[in-house]
Amino acid sequence: MLVLVSEEDIQMFEYLRKFREHFPGRKFFQLIDKIYDMGNLEDAWKEVKSNKGCAGVDKQSINDFKKQSEQYFREIQRAVKNGTYEATPVLRKFIPKGDGKLRPLGIPTVKDRILQQAAKNVIEQIFEMKFLDCSYGYRPNKGAHQAVEQIKKYVQQGYTWVTDADVEKFFDSVDHKLLMSFVAEEISDGKVLSLIESWLKAGVMNNGDIEKTTEGTPQGGVISPLLANIYLHEMDEQITKIYGVRMVRYADDFVILCKTKEKAERTMKQVEEILTGLKLRLNKKKTKIVNVNRESFGFLGFNFKRTGGKLFVTPGKKAIKKFKEAVKVTTNRRQPVKPKEMVGRLNSVIRGWGNYFKIGDVRWLFKNLDKWIRTRVRTFIEKKKSGYARMRISNYVLRTGYKLASLMTLIKPHSL
């Protein structure tokens, strides 16, 4: 995901950057007024509104908030300014993971989401000045595609021994005291620190019962990815200081690249020690050391394997399977929808998945998937329209008449 910055963000960053230049050893203070600034709250509201999402424990939806947004802005501003704002417990929801298990999400109220976004707008700029280049997740103008390209460069430079690492239950294991100490290294505004801590300790509403949160950050919170980057920055600093080691991290997923097996094994032990200091641990079952010349490894949904001196980057098996399942659901013939409506939904699936994976070596795969997709679309149309029962719908008709998107056109125009 590529995170872009607004004009207001740029102005804020310039203000904070100049402060750092003039006072390199001082912490940032008096930030709370910039967080509850009405313009910042309105910008935060636009972001929250565009991301949609469901209601929190107060059952207030985006549309409900919209009806009296000006009044709610004033209430939020007054409460934060007076130091009386209280974070609301997040609503526990579960979504399926790729391995069949469930991933817990914490859904804050709309008000908390707006205030978290407003806080993120300000403090993210501070930590962006210290974050390292090896971190790519949830950062302005950085994303998964840049992370993949960086891995390719390292492999070309001879870093072919790869530690595919997995931190066990990271978001559930973040130590609150350590995290707050890392935030306090840059920020001395007590009200901002209290605000962040209140979100960490707000609790979780699970089946009607409120559970205390003594550790971890809720997945689903607007500010959680930034807090994760602040926490794992400590790991970034220590690992990147190890001689002969390269690292690429995206949130809590990361790979470490070395030139020899011995170096990779020694580094693995050092990484375990570093994580122990952060009260984290590696998932031994999912963490492995591979030689990319002989074995493949997965990262961010991509599969990496070097053959004949060339590193091939392709969508992983799970990613392909998940995509095909989404296509099957969308093209299910039993749906009471018209063909063009179905194609419209299908195009969103095709473009979303295709634009993410098109940077890989995907021409052969995309070509074959396009053929398979067209077959499913033809079957759907023939089921709905008896006039086509004995005639084949051409590719031209699918493209021009039904406006069916093609994976191949995402990398090579006019290839359908």
Side-chain angles (χ1 to χ4, degrees), residues 142-208:
K142 300 192 80 172
H145 286 182
Q146 290 96 324
V148 170
E149 290 301 320
Q150 187 61 65
I151 290 174
K152 291 169 67 175
K153 290 178 183 177
Y154 286 148
V155 171
Q156 290 168 359
Q157 293 167 10
Y159 294 88
T160 55
W161 284 93
V162 181
T163 301
D164 182 7
D166 184 88
V167 179
E168 188 170 338
K169 297 181 178 180
F170 169 74
F171 284 95
D172 296 330
S173 305
V174 169
D175 184 85
H176 288 177
K177 287 185 179 180
L178 272 179
L179 173 57
M180 292 308 302
S181 70
F182 297 150
V183 176
E185 287 179 3
E186 298 295 328
I187 297 173
S188 62
D189 190 321
K191 287 187 176 180
V192 175
L193 296 176
S194 296
L195 191 61
I196 295 172
E197 193 165 19
S198 72
W199 289 321
L200 294 174
K201 299 186 180 301
V204 175
M205 178 77 77
N206 192 8
N207 293 323

Side-chain angles (χ1 to χ4, degrees), residues 37-237:
D37 174 80
M38 190 59 71
N40 187 34
L41 289 175
E42 290 173 351
D43 288 341
W45 162 235
K46 291 176 185 176
E47 187 70 23
V48 170
K49 185 168 55 175
S50 68
N51 290 332
K52 300 179 181 179
C54 58
V57 296
D58 62 356
K59 298 182 180 180
Q60 184 184 58
S61 67
I62 294 287
N63 286 333
D64 293 335
F65 186 95
K66 185 178 180 180
K67 294 173 184 176
Q68 303 182 64
S69 60
E70 293 301 321
Q71 176 186 330
Y72 292 135
F73 288 152
R74 288 193 294 271
E75 290 177 1
I76 294 171
Q77 186 182 60
R78 184 166 56 250
V80 177
K81 187 175 183 179
N82 296 335
T84 59
Y85 190 93
E86 293 185 7
T88 309
V90 299
L91 179 64
R92 171 71 81 225
K93 291 284 186 180
F94 292 91
I95 61 172
K97 294 170 61 175
D99 57 6
K101 297 180 180 179
L102 295 176
R103 182 190 302 277
L105 288 182
I107 303 173
T109 62
V110 175
K111 290 181 181 178
D112 272 331
R113 297 208 293 270
I114 291 170
L115 189 53
Q116 285 187 23
Q117 181 66 49
K120 178 177 177 289
N121 289 347
V122 176
I123 67 175
E124 181 177 56
Q125 314 300 334
I126 294 170
F127 287 94
E128 274 298 314
M129 288 187 278
K130 70 181 292 187
F131 286 163
L132 303 181
D133 290 339
C134 63
S135 167
Y136 292 86
Y138 305 103
R139 295 185 58 189
N141 298 319
K142 300 192 80 172
H145 286 182
Q146 290 96 324
V148 170
E149 290 301 320
Q150 187 61 65
I151 290 174
K152 291 169 67 175
K153 290 178 183 177
Y154 286 148
V155 171
Q156 290 168 359
Q157 293 167 10
Y159 294 88
T160 55
W161 284 93
V162 181
T163 301
D164 182 7
D166 184 88
V167 179
E168 188 170 338
K169 297 181 178 180
F170 169 74
F171 284 95
D172 296 330
S173 305
V174 169
D175 184 85
H176 288 177
K177 287 185 179 180
L178 272 179
L179 173 57
M180 292 308 302
S181 70
F182 297 150
V183 176
E185 287 179 3
E186 298 295 328
I187 297 173
S188 62
D189 190 321
K191 287 187 176 180
V192 175
L193 296 176
S194 296
L195 191 61
I196 295 172
E197 193 165 19
S198 72
W199 289 321
L200 294 174
K201 299 186 180 301
V204 175
M205 178 77 77
N206 192 8
N207 293 323
D209 297 322
I210 296 179
E211 302 172 359
K212 292 183 178 180
T213 47
T214 57
E215 61 183 7
T217 60
Q219 294 187 65
V222 175
I223 204 167
S224 290
L226 173 59
L227 297 180
N229 277 333
I230 292 172
Y231 199 84
L232 289 172
H233 171 72
E234 303 302 314
M235 180 186 75
D236 295 347
E237 284 198 317

Side-chain angles (χ1 to χ4, degrees), residues 60 106 206 219 235 245-246 263 305 358 411:
Q60 184 184 58
N206 192 8
Q219 294 187 65
M235 180 186 75
V245 168
R246 299 291 182 267
K263 183 65 175 179
K305 177 68 186 295
K358 69 181 181 181
I411 55 174

